[in-house]
Amino acid sequence: MEIPFHRPYIGKDEEKEVIDSLRKGWLTMGKKTVEFERKFGNYIGAKNAIAVSSCTAALHLALRCIGLKEGDEVLVPAVTFVATAEVVGYFGARPVLVDVERNTHLIDINDLEKKITERTKAIIPVHYSGQPADMDEIIEIAKSYNLYVIEDAAHALPSWYKGRKVGTIGDLTAFSFYATKTLATGEGGMVTTENNEWAERIRVLRLHGISKDAWKRYTKEGSWEYDVLENGYKYNMTDINAALGLAQLRKVEWMWKERERVASMYNEAFREYEELIPYRVKSDRISSWHLYPLKLNLESLKINRNQFIEELKRRGIGTSVHFIPLYRFSYYKNIGHGAVDFPKSEWVFERVVSLPIFPGMRKEEVEYIIENIIDIVEKNRR
Ligand SMILES: *Cc1c(COP(=O)(O)O)cnc(C)c1O
C-alpha cells in the first residue's frame, strides 16, 4: 500500500465553485472573496474576517496593526514553522524563541515569562497541531506586561479553547489555507479581529494601501478614482482561491470529524506500547487534529526517529516532522539562537514524527499504518 502524508479533499463542490468564478470572468478579489470573508467570520463568530494571500501575510499585517518597530522583541515558540518568526524580522525586530512543553509542544508559560524584557511588544502563540495554546495564562501575562497577543492559528480550524472557538481570543488571529491545511485554497489566509479599526487598516494595507474597497474600481459600482492612504502590500486573496474556500468551508466540520476518527484509531492502537508516546491534548480544549504528532520513546528502542521514518517510507507510508526547531537553522544560529537554551524543544524534535491524518483516509489505510508501526516497534525493542 502507498499512503501519502497528505491528500487534499477536493471534489465536485470545489470544481463547481471555481468554474463559477471562471465563467463569471472575475479572477481576482471580488464578490466571492467578500462572501468567503463573511461566511468565515460567521463560522468563527468573529466581528471581522479579512482574507489575504497567506497566513504569513496575515501575521505580517497583524504586526503592522500593533505598530511593531525596529528593535522590538516578539516571543514565539522555538518549535513552529519559520513563518511565525520570519514576519518579526520584516520589521527589523527580533524574534525571541521560547521553549515548548514536552507533552503538547505548546509554548512553555514559565519560559515565556522569563524571556520578557522591556523591549518585548507581543507574543505569537502557535496552536500546534490544532491544540490551542494556554490562552488564559498567555493573556494574563500579556496584560500584566502590556503586550499584544497575535495567535498563529495556521493549524487551528476548527479548534476550541474552554468551549470557545479559536479566532476571537487574542488581539488578532491568523489562519492558513495553504494546500495541506485543514481548509485548503492552494494559498490563502485570513485575519480575524474584534477591533474594527485594525480590520479597516488591514483591508487597506492588503491592497497597496488603496482607500476602501479598492477591488471595486473595476466594477460597475466602482470608480477609477482612488487615494493611497499608506504604504501597503499586494496581499489580497483571489476569487478563484475564495471559490475553493467557500466549498471547503461548507465541509470544514465534516473534515474535522474525519481527522478525529483517524486520531482516535491511532490513540487506541498506540496506548499500550511503552515505546510510543502519544500526543497529549489538555482536557479543556478540542484539537482540529491538523497533525497527528507521535513521539518515540528512544530509551526503549534500538532505532532513532530518522531510522523510524525511513522504515515507514520503505513500507510506503509518508510522514513528516513538525517542526525542525528554529534555532537549528543557519539563519537563526547566525542571529544568536542556540540549541542549549531549549532542552524541551530538543527533546521533542529528536522523538517526533507526524503520521498521515486527512479526511477521506480509508479505514484500511489507517490500519495498515498502525500494523506497520507496531511491527517496527516489536522488531526494534531494546
Ligand atoms: C503553514 C504555517 C504557517 C504559514 O502559512 P502560509 O499560509 O503558508 O503562509 C504559519 N504558521 C504555522 C504554524 C504553519 O504551520
Side-chain angles (χ1 to χ4, degrees):
M1 217 183 287
E2 284 284 337
I3 306 162
F5 174 64
H6 184 76
R7 205 187 285 139
Y9 201 80
I10 299 288
K12 288 271 178 285
D13 284 351
E14 285 79 0
E15 286 176 16
K16 255 175 69 186
E17 283 285 356
V18 171
I19 286 169
D20 185 54
S21 262
L22 299 180
R23 294 211 169 123
K24 282 183 174 136
W26 194 275
L27 302 181
T28 188
M29 184 161 69
K31 290 206 171 84
K32 285 228 196 262
T33 306
V34 174
E35 187 188 351
F36 181 45
E37 288 177 331
R38 185 173 51 77
K39 289 191 169 150
F40 188 89
N42 285 345
Y43 176 66
I44 295 296
K47 244 195 217 162
N48 304 285
I50 309 102
V52 289
S53 52
S54 69
C55 179
T56 309
L59 290 166
H60 185 188
L61 295 175
L63 292 174
R64 271 289 292 257
C65 284
I66 65 158
L68 194 69
K69 303 184 307 297
E70 196 174 337
D72 287 342
E73 292 177 352
V74 178
L75 300 164
V76 304
V79 177
T80 183
F81 184 58
V82 67
T84 318
E86 161 192 341
V87 291
V88 176
Y90 292 176
F91 295 82
R94 183 177 172 80
V96 173
L97 307 185
V98 179
D99 213 359
V100 301
E101 294 181 339
R102 287 179 186 229
N103 290 329
T104 64
H105 318 172
L106 295 172
I107 197 162
D108 183 271
I109 297 299
N110 295 319
D111 195 42
L112 177 76
E113 199 157 9
K114 278 188 212 145
K115 296 217 160 131
I116 294 173
T117 72
E118 64 278 11
R119 290 165 180 255
T120 310
K121 186 87 180 236
I123 308 168
I124 311 182
V126 174
H127 305 312
Y128 178 98
S129 77
Q131 166 161 218
D134 297 321
M135 293 310 293
D136 280 354
E137 290 81 355
I138 290 168
I139 283 167
E140 201 184 309
I141 291 172
K143 277 199 178 125
S144 57
Y145 294 91
N146 210 11
L147 311 174
Y148 293 102
V149 178
I150 294 167
E151 294 172 71
D152 182 337
H155 302 178
L157 181 72
S159 299
W160 289 262
Y161 179 76
K162 300 190 177 177
R164 187 166 161 195
K165 214 179 267 154
V166 164
T168 59
I169 304 169
D171 291 303
L172 298 122
T173 306
F175 291 92
S176 175
F177 309 135
Y178 180 71
T180 58
K181 299 280 160 65
T182 60
L183 183 156
T185 65
E187 299 283 357
M190 189 80 76
V191 186
T192 56
T193 179
E194 300 306 283
N195 184 316
N196 296 339
E197 275 169 40
W198 283 344
E200 213 36 67
R201 184 138 186 246
I202 291 171
R203 284 181 212 286
V204 169
L205 282 172
R206 75 168 157 186
L207 205 57
H208 308 296
I210 296 176
S211 51
K212 203 168 163 261
D213 287 337
W215 64 272
K216 281 193 182 155
R217 69 193 186 283
Y218 296 118
T219 66
K220 282 200 299 272
E221 309 104 87
S223 150
W224 59 270
E225 219 173 1
Y226 58 82
D227 191 14
V228 175
L229 303 174
E230 58 179 321
N231 203 33
Y233 308 92
K234 185 67 197 284
Y235 276 175
N236 60 283
M237 181 173 271
T238 77
D239 263 23
I240 298 172
N241 294 110
L244 288 169
L246 283 167
Q248 290 260 293
L249 188 60
R250 291 197 282 268
K251 51 192 177 204
V252 77
E253 292 222 352
W254 178 83
M255 293 192 289
W256 161 59
K257 293 209 173 94
E258 282 280 291
R259 289 188 304 274
E260 204 179 41
R261 168 181 66 87
V262 175
S264 36
M265 283 178 73
Y266 283 147
N267 285 341
E268 187 62 32
F270 300 148
R271 216 173 36 190
E272 56 197 287
Y273 290 86
E274 68 150 289
E275 293 82 2
L276 303 171
I277 308 168
Y279 181 73
R280 212 186 109 220
V281 178
K282 300 185 188 189
S283 61
D284 56 359
R285 49 207 92 170
I286 297 172
S287 177
S288 71
W289 289 110
H290 165 53
L291 302 174
Y292 188 90
L294 179 68
K295 287 188 293 296
L296 304 179
N297 182 3
L298 297 178
E299 288 66 28
S300 57
L301 284 167
K302 284 187 293 202
I303 51 170
N304 63 26
R305 188 270 318 274
N306 293 0
Q307 292 166 315
F308 185 80
I309 286 176
E310 279 312 305
E311 197 54 48
L312 285 171
K313 197 170 169 183
R314 220 173 47 76
R315 297 165 190 239
I317 299 166
T319 57
S320 190
V321 172
H322 295 89
F323 292 93
I324 302 170
L326 297 180
Y327 53 78
R328 282 181 160 257
F329 294 126
S330 307
Y331 174 73
Y332 289 90
K333 276 185 203 158
N334 293 341
I335 62 169
H337 299 287
V340 285
D341 305 321
F342 307 98
K344 290 185 280 191
S345 299
E346 253 326 82
W347 186 87
V348 169
F349 175 63
E350 283 171 356
R351 288 161 179 78
V352 75
V353 51
S354 297
L355 302 184
I357 182 164
F358 48 81
M361 230 176 133
R362 284 178 294 117
K363 190 160 169 272
E364 308 84 74
E365 292 180 309
V366 186
E367 284 166 351
Y368 177 79
I369 295 168
I370 290 171
E371 283 160 23
N372 276 283
I373 288 179
I374 290 172
D375 187 56
I376 296 169
V377 160
E378 287 177 341
K379 289 197 170 108
N380 293 284
R381 276 200 175 110
R382 215 192 262 281

